Amino acid sequence: MAQNSTYTDKAMKDHAKTYAGFLAMMKYGTGFIVLVLLAMLLFLYN
């Protein structure tokens, strides 16, 4: 695999920040969906 000289340390840091943001979005998004489903369950049986 050839090394791309334009792929810099800044690009790696940007990629790491993007990945961290994606993981946070997945974590909080999943939590939000669980809360919505629990609220739907609560109102279904009330």
Coordinates of all heavy atoms in Angstrom, one line a residue:
M1 N 0.9 -1.2 0.0 CA 0.0 0.0 0.0 C 0.9 1.2 0.0 O 1.8 1.4 0.8 CB -0.9 0.0 1.2 CG -1.9 1.0 1.3 SD -3.1 0.6 2.5 CE -3.6 2.2 3.1
A2 N 0.7 2.1 -0.9 CA 1.5 3.3 -1.1 C 1.1 4.3 0.0 O 0.0 4.5 0.3 CB 1.3 3.9 -2.5
Q3 N 2.1 5.0 0.5 CA 1.9 6.1 1.5 C 1.5 7.4 0.7 O 2.2 7.8 -0.2 CB 3.2 6.3 2.3 CG 3.1 7.4 3.4 CD 2.5 6.9 4.7 OE1 2.5 5.7 4.8 NE2 2.1 7.7 5.5
N4 N 0.4 8.0 1.1 CA 0.0 9.2 0.5 C 0.6 10.4 1.3 O 0.3 10.5 2.5 CB -1.5 9.3 0.5 CG -2.0 10.5 -0.3 OD1 -1.3 11.3 -0.7 ND2 -3.3 10.6 -0.5
S5 N 1.5 11.1 0.7 CA 2.2 12.2 1.4 C 1.3 13.4 1.8 O 1.7 14.2 2.6 CB 3.4 12.7 0.5 OG 2.9 13.3 -0.7
T6 N 0.1 13.5 1.2 CA -0.8 14.6 1.5 C -1.6 14.2 2.8 O -2.3 15.1 3.3 CB -1.8 14.9 0.4 OG1 -2.5 13.7 0.1 CG2 -1.0 15.3 -0.9
Y7 N -1.6 13.0 3.2 CA -2.3 12.6 4.4 C -1.5 12.9 5.6 O -0.5 12.2 6.0 CB -2.6 11.1 4.3 CG -3.8 10.7 5.2 CD1 -5.1 11.1 4.9 CD2 -3.6 9.9 6.4 CE1 -6.1 10.8 5.7 CE2 -4.7 9.6 7.2 CZ -5.9 10.0 6.9 OH -7.0 9.7 7.7
T8 N -1.8 14.0 6.3 CA -0.9 14.6 7.3 C -1.4 14.2 8.7 O -2.4 13.6 8.9 CB -0.9 16.1 7.2 OG1 -2.2 16.6 7.4 CG2 -0.4 16.5 5.8
D9 N -0.6 14.6 9.7 CA -1.0 14.5 11.1 C -2.3 15.2 11.4 O -3.1 14.7 12.1 CB 0.1 14.9 12.0 CG -0.1 14.6 13.4 OD1 -0.4 13.4 13.7 OD2 0.1 15.5 14.3
K10 N -2.5 16.4 10.8 CA -3.7 17.1 11.0 C -4.9 16.3 10.5 O -6.0 16.3 11.1 CB -3.7 18.5 10.2 CG -4.9 19.3 10.4 CD -4.9 20.6 9.6 CE -6.1 21.4 9.7 NZ -7.4 20.7 9.7
A11 N -4.8 15.7 9.4 CA -5.9 14.8 8.8 C -6.2 13.7 9.8 O -7.4 13.4 10.0 CB -5.5 14.3 7.5
M12 N -5.2 13.1 10.4 CA -5.4 12.0 11.4 C -6.1 12.6 12.6 O -7.1 11.9 13.1 CB -4.1 11.4 11.8 CG -3.5 10.4 10.8 SD -4.6 9.1 10.4 CE -4.7 8.2 11.9
K13 N -5.7 13.8 13.1 CA -6.4 14.4 14.2 C -7.9 14.7 13.9 O -8.8 14.5 14.7 CB -5.6 15.6 14.7 CG -4.3 15.2 15.4 CD -3.6 16.4 15.8 CE -2.3 16.0 16.5 NZ -1.4 17.1 16.8
D14 N -8.1 15.2 12.7 CA -9.4 15.6 12.2 C -10.3 14.3 12.2 O -11.4 14.3 12.6 CB -9.4 16.2 10.9 CG -8.9 17.7 11.0 OD1 -8.9 18.2 12.1 OD2 -8.6 18.2 9.9
H15 N -9.7 13.2 11.7 CA -10.4 12.0 11.6 C -10.7 11.4 13.0 O -11.9 10.9 13.2 CB -9.6 10.9 10.8 CG -10.2 9.6 10.8 ND1 -11.3 9.3 10.0 CD2 -9.8 8.4 11.5 CE1 -11.6 8.0 10.2 NE2 -10.7 7.5 11.1
A16 N -9.8 11.5 13.9 CA -10.0 11.0 15.3 C -11.2 11.9 15.9 O -12.0 11.3 16.6 CB -8.8 11.1 16.1
K17 N -11.2 13.2 15.7 CA -12.3 14.0 16.3 C -13.6 13.6 15.7 O -14.6 13.6 16.3 CB -12.0 15.5 16.0 CG -10.9 16.0 17.0 CD -10.5 17.5 16.6 CE -11.7 18.4 16.6 NZ -11.3 19.8 16.3
T18 N -13.6 13.4 14.3 CA -14.9 13.0 13.7 C -15.4 11.7 14.2 O -16.6 11.5 14.5 CB -14.6 12.9 12.2 OG1 -14.2 14.2 11.7 CG2 -15.9 12.5 11.4
Y19 N -14.4 10.7 14.4 CA -14.8 9.4 14.9 C -15.3 9.5 16.3 O -16.3 8.9 16.7 CB -13.6 8.5 14.8 CG -14.0 7.0 15.2 CD1 -14.8 6.3 14.5 CD2 -13.4 6.5 16.4 CE1 -15.1 5.0 14.8 CE2 -13.7 5.2 16.8 CZ -14.6 4.4 16.0 OH -14.9 3.2 16.4
A20 N -14.7 10.3 17.2 CA -15.2 10.5 18.5 C -16.6 11.2 18.5 O -17.4 10.8 19.3 CB -14.2 11.4 19.3
G21 N -16.8 12.1 17.6 CA -18.1 12.7 17.5 C -19.2 11.7 17.1 O -20.3 11.7 17.6
F22 N -18.8 10.8 16.2 CA -19.7 9.8 15.7 C -20.1 8.9 16.8 O -21.2 8.5 17.0 CB -19.1 9.0 14.5 CG -19.8 7.8 14.1 CD1 -21.0 8.0 13.4 CD2 -19.4 6.6 14.5 CE1 -21.7 6.9 13.0 CE2 -20.1 5.4 14.1 CZ -21.3 5.6 13.3
L23 N -19.1 8.5 17.6 CA -19.3 7.6 18.8 C -20.3 8.2 19.8 O -21.2 7.6 20.3 CB -18.0 7.1 19.4 CG -17.2 6.1 18.6 CD1 -15.9 5.8 19.4 CD2 -17.9 4.9 18.3
A24 N -20.0 9.5 20.0 CA -20.9 10.2 21.0 C -22.3 10.3 20.5 O -23.3 10.1 21.2 CB -20.3 11.6 21.3
M25 N -22.4 10.6 19.2 CA -23.8 10.7 18.5 C -24.5 9.3 18.6 O -25.7 9.3 19.0 CB -23.6 11.1 17.1 CG -25.0 11.2 16.4 SD -24.8 11.6 14.6 CE -24.0 10.1 14.0
M26 N -23.8 8.2 18.4 CA -24.4 6.9 18.5 C -24.8 6.6 19.9 O -25.9 6.1 20.2 CB -23.4 5.8 18.0 CG -23.1 5.9 16.5 SD -24.6 5.8 15.5 CE -25.1 4.2 15.8
K27 N -23.9 6.9 20.9 CA -24.2 6.7 22.3 C -25.5 7.4 22.8 O -26.4 6.9 23.3 CB -23.0 7.0 23.2 CG -23.2 6.8 24.6 CD -22.0 6.9 25.4 CE -21.5 8.4 25.4 NZ -20.3 8.6 26.3
Y28 N -25.5 8.8 22.6 CA -26.6 9.6 23.0 C -27.8 9.4 22.2 O -28.9 9.4 22.7 CB -26.2 11.0 23.1 CG -25.1 11.3 24.1 CD1 -23.9 11.8 23.8 CD2 -25.4 11.1 25.4 CE1 -22.9 12.0 24.7 CE2 -24.4 11.3 26.4 CZ -23.2 11.8 26.0 OH -22.2 12.0 27.0
G29 N -27.6 9.1 20.9 CA -28.8 8.8 20.0 C -29.5 7.5 20.4 O -30.7 7.4 20.5
T30 N -28.7 6.5 20.8 CA -29.3 5.2 21.3 C -30.0 5.4 22.6 O -31.1 4.9 22.8 CB -28.2 4.2 21.4 OG1 -27.5 4.0 20.2 CG2 -28.7 2.8 21.9
G31 N -29.4 6.2 23.5 CA -30.0 6.5 24.7 C -31.4 7.3 24.5 O -32.4 7.0 25.2
F32 N -31.4 8.2 23.6 CA -32.6 9.0 23.3 C -33.7 8.0 22.8 O -34.8 8.1 23.2 CB -32.3 10.1 22.3 CG -33.5 10.9 21.9 CD1 -34.0 11.8 22.8 CD2 -34.0 10.7 20.7 CE1 -35.2 12.5 22.5 CE2 -35.2 11.5 20.3 CZ -35.7 12.3 21.2
I33 N -33.3 7.1 21.9 CA -34.3 6.2 21.3 C -34.9 5.3 22.4 O -36.1 5.0 22.5 CB -33.7 5.4 20.2 CG1 -33.4 6.3 19.0 CG2 -34.6 4.2 19.8 CD1 -32.6 5.7 17.9
V34 N -34.0 4.8 23.3 CA -34.5 4.0 24.4 C -35.5 4.8 25.3 O -36.5 4.3 25.7 CB -33.3 3.5 25.2 CG1 -33.8 2.9 26.6 CG2 -32.5 2.5 24.4
L35 N -35.1 6.0 25.6 CA -36.1 6.9 26.4 C -37.4 7.1 25.7 O -38.5 7.0 26.3 CB -35.4 8.2 26.7 CG -34.3 8.2 27.7 CD1 -33.7 9.6 27.9 CD2 -34.8 7.7 29.1
V36 N -37.4 7.3 24.4 CA -38.6 7.5 23.6 C -39.4 6.2 23.7 O -40.7 6.2 23.9 CB -38.3 7.9 22.2 CG1 -39.6 7.8 21.3 CG2 -37.8 9.3 22.2
L37 N -38.8 5.1 23.5 CA -39.5 3.8 23.5 C -40.1 3.5 24.9 O -41.2 3.0 25.0 CB -38.6 2.6 23.1 CG -38.2 2.6 21.6 CD1 -37.2 1.5 21.3 CD2 -39.4 2.5 20.7
L38 N -39.3 3.8 26.0 CA -39.9 3.7 27.3 C -41.1 4.6 27.6 O -42.0 4.2 28.2 CB -38.8 3.9 28.4 CG -37.7 2.8 28.5 CD1 -36.6 3.3 29.4 CD2 -38.3 1.5 28.9
A39 N -41.0 5.8 27.1 CA -42.1 6.7 27.2 C -43.3 6.2 26.5 O -44.5 6.3 27.0 CB -41.7 8.1 26.7
M40 N -43.1 5.7 25.3 CA -44.2 5.1 24.5 C -44.9 3.9 25.3 O -46.1 3.8 25.3 CB -43.7 4.7 23.1 CG -43.4 5.8 22.2 SD -42.6 5.3 20.7 CE -43.9 4.3 19.9
L41 N -44.0 3.1 25.9 CA -44.5 2.0 26.7 C -45.3 2.5 27.9 O -46.4 1.9 28.2 CB -43.3 1.1 27.1 CG -43.6 -0.2 27.8 CD1 -44.3 -1.2 26.8 CD2 -42.4 -0.8 28.3
L42 N -44.8 3.5 28.5 CA -45.5 4.0 29.7 C -46.9 4.6 29.3 O -47.9 4.3 30.0 CB -44.6 5.2 30.3 CG -45.2 5.9 31.4 CD1 -45.2 5.0 32.7 CD2 -44.5 7.2 31.7
F43 N -47.0 5.3 28.2 CA -48.3 5.9 27.8 C -49.2 4.8 27.2 O -50.4 5.0 27.2 CB -48.1 7.0 26.8 CG -47.5 8.2 27.4 CD1 -46.3 8.7 27.1 CD2 -48.3 8.9 28.4 CE1 -45.8 9.9 27.7 CE2 -47.8 10.1 29.0 CZ -46.5 10.5 28.6
L44 N -48.6 3.7 26.7 CA -49.5 2.6 26.2 C -50.2 2.0 27.3 O -51.4 1.6 27.1 CB -48.6 1.6 25.5 CG -49.3 0.4 24.9 CD1 -50.2 0.8 23.8 CD2 -48.2 -0.6 24.4
Y45 N -49.6 1.8 28.5 CA -50.3 1.1 29.6 C -50.9 2.0 30.6 O -51.2 1.5 31.7 CB -49.3 0.1 30.2 CG -49.0 -1.1 29.3 CD1 -47.7 -1.2 28.8 CD2 -50.0 -2.0 29.0 CE1 -47.4 -2.3 27.9 CE2 -49.7 -3.1 28.1 CZ -48.4 -3.2 27.6 OH -48.2 -4.3 26.7
N46 N -51.0 3.3 30.3 CA -51.7 4.2 31.3 C -53.1 4.5 30.8 O -53.5 4.6 29.8 CB -50.9 5.5 31.4 CG -50.1 5.5 32.7 OD1 -50.4 4.7 33.6 ND2 -49.1 6.4 32.8

